[in-house]
Amino acid sequence: MDWVESGKMAVKTLTANKMRSSLTMLGMIIGNASVIAMVGIGQGAQRLASEQFESLGPNVLFISPGSNQARQRATNLPRTLIWDDAKAIASQVPAVQEVAAQKQGQYPIVYGGLNSSSSITGTTPSFLSVRSFDVAKGRFLTDLDLQRNQRVVVLGADLANRFFSDQDPIGKRIRIRNVSFQVIGVMRPKGSFLGSNQDDAAYIPLTTMSSTLTGRTSPYGLDVTFISVSAKNEASVPAAEFQITNLLRRRHKIVSQDDFTVQAQKDILQIVGTITGGLTAMLAAIAGVSLLVGGIGIMNIMLVSVTERTQEIGLRKAIGASGQDILVQFMIEAVLLSAAGGLIGTGVGVGGTLLVATFSPLKAAISPAAIALAVSVSGTIGLVFGVIPARQAAKLDPIVALRSA
Amino acid sequence: MPQSTIVRLEGITKVYGMGDTTVHALAGIDLMIEQGEYCAIMGASGSGKSTMMNVIGCLDRPTDGQYYLDGQDVAQLSDRDLAHIRNQKLGFVFQQFHLLPQLSALENVMLPMVYASVPTAERKERAAEALIRVGLGQRLQNRPNQLSGGQQQRVAIARAIVNRPVLLLADEPTGALDSTTTREILAIFGELNESGMTVVMVTHESEVARCTNRVIWFKDGQVMQSYLAPEDLGTVTAA
C-alpha cells in the first residue's frame, strides 16, 4: 500500500467524522497558536524595551547609588552619591562630555482646582542634552536658577495640557507640595519609558528640589537618585565607565565593595534582554504544555478510534493488510490530525500576533523560528502519540477483531 | 483443465490454552479440496468448524501439521507472508458483510487491490467488473448504508473475488439474510463455482448446504464425514 493511497484513505476516514476530528485538532490548534502568539508577544516586549533603552543613545551611562547586589536585594540604598560626584565627573573625567544629576520624587501638584501627583525631577541644565529631551515652549533650567534656588518649573507635555489646556502656562504659578513655583517652560512630548509616562513630569532646579521639597536627606551632601553621563562618543564609553568608577572609588574612599553602580546603555540592554528572553521562554514553555496536552488528546481519540474500528482492522487484515499497513494507516491519521491542527494553529497564532501588533504598543513579531518549531513539534507529537494506538491496531488478531460485535 | 488440489491438510491440530486447560479445537485433520469443488463445512458449535475455517483462511496458524494451499506450504508462515497469501489467494465473505461504511461500493471492492498494489486505473476497472458480475453494476457509487443486506453481501462477494483468488471462503454468508435473499446469494456462489471457482462455505443450515456438492461434517475437532453428498445430510443430522 503506497503513501498516496494511505494518505487518501486517512483523509477519507478523518472527514467521515468531522466533528471528532476537528475537536481533536482543537488541542493542537490552541497549543500551536499559543506558542506562536506567546513567543511573538514576548519578542515584541523585548524589542519594545530594547528600543526604549536604545533611544537613550549609545553613549549614555548611568550612575546609581548602591552596589548591584544591594540594588537587587532592594535594601536601603546608601545616600553616598552626591551632586559633587557629578561635578567631579564633569570636570575630571576626560572621556565624558556632559553630566546631569537627577533627584527624583513624587509630589502633589496643584493649579487652581486641578491637582495631580506627578514625578518631580530636580536636575541640572545639562539634563536636556544628556537625555535628549527638548523644550517646546519657554526655556529650560539654567545655572542661574540652580545658584539662586529659584522656584521655577518646566512641565512635561501631558502635565501642561492637563493644567493649562487652552491657556499659555508660561509665567503661571503652580504649587508643588504647597510651595509655589513659576512655570518657565514646557517640554516636548517624549512618550512613555518602560510603562511610565515621561510627559507626566515636572523639572525643577536640583538645588531647589533639595532645599524646599526633600530637605537635607544625606550627611554627605546633596545626594542624587542618579547621575546621567554622556560620553564623548560611543567608542569612549568603556573608558568613561572605567574612569568614572576609579574617580568615584577614590572620592568615596572605597576599599572593598563599591557603593555605586555604573551602567552603560549596552549593559542595560543586556540585562533587559536577559529578563525578557527568560520571560519569552517561560511563556513559550507554558504554551508548549498545551501542545503536549493536545498530543495526549490525539492519542486518546486514536485509542478510541482503534477500539471502534476493530472490525475494520480485522477486515483489512483478512483481505491482505499486513500489521505494518495498519500501523502506517493509523500513524498517518494521527500525524495528519496533529499537522493539520498545527497548521491551522499557526494561522491563528500569526493572526493573533498581528492583532496584538496592530492594537497594542507591543511590537509583536512573527517569529519564523517559533513557527518552524511549533509545526515540527506538532508533527512529531502526532508521530509520538500516534505510535501507541497504531501499534495496538497493528497487533490486533484478525479473528478476534472480526468477531467483535 | 487438469484438476489440482487447492487445499491439502495433513495431521492439522490446533490446541488452545496450556497445561490442564488445553482444548484440542482440531485433533488431527486430513483433508483435500480439489479445484472447482463447492463444499459446505458443517457441524455443531464447538465442533471446530470455525477454527478449521480460520486455518484454511490463513487467519490462524495450526499448532501442528502440514497445510498446502495451492501447492504452497503455508502452515508456519510469518504474519506478513500470511497477509500476502490472504490477499493473493483467498477471498472472504462474512456473515456481517464487513464493508467499510465511509467507502462507496466501488471503493470497498477496490480495497484488496490497494493492498496488492494494483495500479489505480486497473483497480477501478476490475472492481466495476466484479460488481457487474454480482449484479450490482448500477450501484457502484452507493455507500453501504444505501444498500440492502443482500446488496451489501453482493458487494462483499465482489470484493472477495476481485483479486482472482484460488479459493473463496464464506463464513455463514446467508446468516444475516432472509430466505429470498439467501437464494439469490447462493445462486451467485453457484454461478461462481460453475465458472471454476473453488468455494468453501461454513454454514449450519442444511438448506444452504444442500446447494453445494460436498459436505464436510465436523464433530469434536475431527472430520466425521468428508465426502458426504448433500442429499444424505438428513442421515447425519438425525444421528
Side-chain angles (χ1 to χ4, degrees):
Chain A
M1 191 161 180
D2 59 282
W3 290 97
V4 181
E5 200 66 43
S6 310
K8 273 195 225 159
M9 189 69 77
V11 168
K12 203 154 230 166
T13 309
L14 294 178
T15 49
N17 216 331
K18 290 192 186 67
M19 183 70 163
R20 176 191 289 185
S21 298
S22 37
L23 282 176
T24 310
M25 280 194 298
L26 199 57
M28 297 310 291
I29 294 174
I30 292 172
N32 248 315
S34 46
V35 166
I36 288 165
M38 288 301 129
V39 171
I41 290 167
Q43 289 189 339
Q46 191 162 3
R47 194 175 301 181
L48 181 74
S50 302
E51 274 176 8
Q52 292 195 337
F53 280 105
E54 275 163 10
S55 71
L56 295 173
N59 59 338
V60 174
L61 295 109
F62 291 96
I63 306 149
S64 36
S67 64
N68 252 331
Q69 284 97 322
R71 299 178 68 79
Q72 275 163 14
R73 277 192 237 112
T75 48
N76 276 341
L77 294 173
R79 298 188 176 275
T80 49
L81 193 67
I82 56 173
W83 190 24
D84 285 344
D85 290 329
K87 289 179 190 162
I89 291 167
S91 60
Q92 293 176 38
V93 176
V96 156
Q97 184 156 1
E98 279 190 289
V99 179
Q102 283 158 262
K103 192 172 170 70
Q104 307 266 100
Q106 182 100 11
Y107 296 109
I109 307 177
V110 180
Y111 175 76
L114 301 165
N115 67 77
S116 156
S117 176
S118 298
S119 154
I120 312 291
T121 304
T123 187
T124 55
S126 47
F127 176 83
L128 275 192
S129 56
V130 175
R131 298 289 305 275
S132 329
F133 276 63
D134 211 357
V135 171
K137 196 185 262 182
R139 64 172 179 87
F140 198 64
L141 310 168
T142 60
D143 285 327
L144 204 62
D145 292 328
L146 267 83
Q147 279 167 30
R148 294 181 176 173
N149 279 7
Q150 294 279 31
R151 292 175 183 180
V152 291
V153 62
V154 180
L155 296 178
D158 285 356
L159 203 55
N161 250 334
R162 199 173 329 147
F163 284 161
F164 309 97
S165 50
D166 46 2
Q167 38 183 326
D168 184 5
I170 309 292
K172 299 280 186 326
R173 299 198 78 87
I174 62 169
R175 300 183 76 80
I176 303 173
R177 207 189 186 186
N178 260 336
V179 178
S180 176
F181 281 78
Q182 185 171 31
V183 179
I184 54 166
V186 175
M187 296 292 240
R188 203 179 287 284
K190 186 78 175 169
S192 65
F193 184 76
L194 296 183
S196 72
N197 184 357
Q198 299 181 99
D199 298 327
D200 183 21
Y203 302 88
I204 61 175
L206 179 62
T207 48
T208 319
M209 179 83 171
S210 175
S211 60
T212 52
L213 293 186
T214 63
R216 194 177 166 85
T217 48
S218 164
Y220 303 101
L222 202 176
D223 67 312
V224 295
T225 316
F226 53 90
I227 300 170
S228 314
V229 175
S230 61
K232 286 237 153 58
N233 51 48
E234 205 177 334
S236 56
V237 168
E241 199 168 348
F242 180 75
Q243 291 164 0
I244 291 168
T245 307
N246 273 346
L247 175 67
L248 290 183
R249 278 183 185 157
R250 200 149 32 91
R251 285 180 57 82
H252 294 187
K253 302 184 173 63
I254 302 288
V255 285
S256 56
Q257 197 177 44
D258 289 349
D259 63 349
F260 61 90
T261 311
V262 182
Q263 283 176 311
Q265 180 217 39
K266 189 164 54 80
D267 304 327
I268 301 173
L269 276 178
Q270 208 163 20
I271 294 169
V272 170
T274 312
I275 294 170
T276 50
L279 203 71
T280 307
M282 192 187 74
L283 286 174
I286 293 170
V289 169
S290 62
L291 258 184
L292 194 72
V293 173
I296 293 170
I298 286 181
M299 175 159 73
N300 205 354
I301 288 298
M302 291 309 293
L303 281 172
V304 171
S305 176
V306 169
T307 311
E308 275 185 357
R309 287 154 66 194
T310 303
Q311 292 207 15
E312 172 189 333
I313 296 162
L315 172 91
R316 283 178 184 275
K317 286 195 158 186
I319 63 172
S322 64
Q324 199 193 334
D325 288 328
I326 301 292
L327 184 89
V328 167
Q329 184 190 344
F330 277 84
M331 289 299 288
I332 287 180
E333 283 181 30
V335 171
L336 266 186
L337 270 180
S338 63
L343 280 178
I344 297 172
T346 301
V348 174
V350 167
T353 310
L354 289 178
L355 269 182
V356 169
T358 316
F359 293 109
S360 86
L362 281 182
K363 301 196 169 146
I366 292 152
S367 150
I371 294 178
L373 187 77
V375 170
S376 57
V377 163
S378 52
T380 312
I381 278 177
L383 273 177
V384 170
F385 287 101
V387 164
I388 293 174
R391 283 183 58 116
Q392 211 171 57
K395 273 192 310 199
L396 274 179
D397 181 350
I399 302 165
V400 178
L402 279 169
R403 216 174 285 148
S404 77
Chain B
M1 192 157 62
Q3 288 257 313
S4 65
T5 307
I6 298 297
V7 173
R8 182 147 65 94
L9 301 174
E10 292 172 1
I12 292 288
T13 63
K14 182 71 192 179
V15 182
Y16 289 112
M18 283 167 64
D20 293 339
T21 56
T22 39
V23 175
H24 290 260
L26 296 177
I29 306 279
D30 298 304
L31 189 67
M32 304 254 275
I33 296 171
E34 303 295 328
Q35 157 143 40
E37 277 201 84
Y38 187 5
C39 317
I41 295 181
M42 293 194 75
S45 59
S47 62
K49 63 181 195 298
S50 291
T51 309
M52 186 75 260
M53 188 75 175
N54 292 334
V55 169
I56 294 178
C58 292
L59 289 166
D60 207 353
R61 273 183 286 265
T63 309
D64 202 8
Q66 307 296 313
Y67 173 19
Y68 297 91
L69 175 66
D70 197 25
Q72 186 182 355
D73 182 3
V74 296
Q76 302 300 336
L77 289 180
S78 70
D79 282 345
R80 200 184 173 78
D81 292 334
L82 283 180
H84 186 67
I85 295 280
R86 290 196 294 269
N87 183 245
Q88 293 295 311
K89 304 217 164 187
L90 298 166
F92 288 93
V93 178
F94 303 97
Q95 182 176 1
Q96 298 301 333
F97 324 138
H98 286 310
L99 301 177
L100 300 193
Q102 72 269 30
L103 302 183
S104 69
L106 190 70
E107 287 167 325
N108 264 294
V109 177
M110 282 159 64
L111 212 50
M113 292 185 283
V114 169
Y115 292 112
S117 302
V118 174
T120 316
E122 193 188 334
R123 273 182 223 162
K124 273 202 175 136
E125 203 176 299
R126 271 167 63 179
E129 244 169 59
L131 279 164
I132 290 166
R133 202 166 162 192
V134 297
L136 275 181
Q138 309 302 314
R139 299 270 184 184
L140 300 185
Q141 299 307 330
N142 287 52
R143 296 270 173 103
N145 60 11
Q146 297 164 319
L147 299 171
S148 71
Q151 288 170 328
Q152 290 187 50
Q153 194 60 302
R154 285 168 197 244
V155 175
I157 294 170
R159 182 179 64 195
I161 60 172
V162 77
N163 259 355
R164 296 158 191 155
V166 296
L167 177 62
L168 181 58
L169 287 167
D171 190 357
E172 305 273 9
T174 60
L177 302 174
D178 62 49
S179 54
T180 320
T181 322
T182 296
R183 272 196 296 281
E184 288 169 14
I185 295 298
L186 287 175
I188 293 173
F189 279 117
E191 282 164 30
L192 288 171
N193 175 245
E194 265 160 40
S195 67
M197 177 77 73
T198 314
V199 180
V200 174
M201 187 187 290
V202 169
T203 183
H204 63 272
E205 294 171 75
S206 21
E207 285 86 79
V208 172
R210 264 184 244 285
C211 298
T212 64
N213 311 125
R214 171 187 172 193
V215 175
I216 303 165
W217 192 271
F218 268 76
K219 194 179 177 187
D220 300 333
Q222 283 178 310
V223 177
M224 298 299 289
Q225 293 273 353
S226 180
Y227 288 94
L228 184 68
E231 304 83 71
D232 299 334
L233 256 178
T235 59
V236 188
T237 26

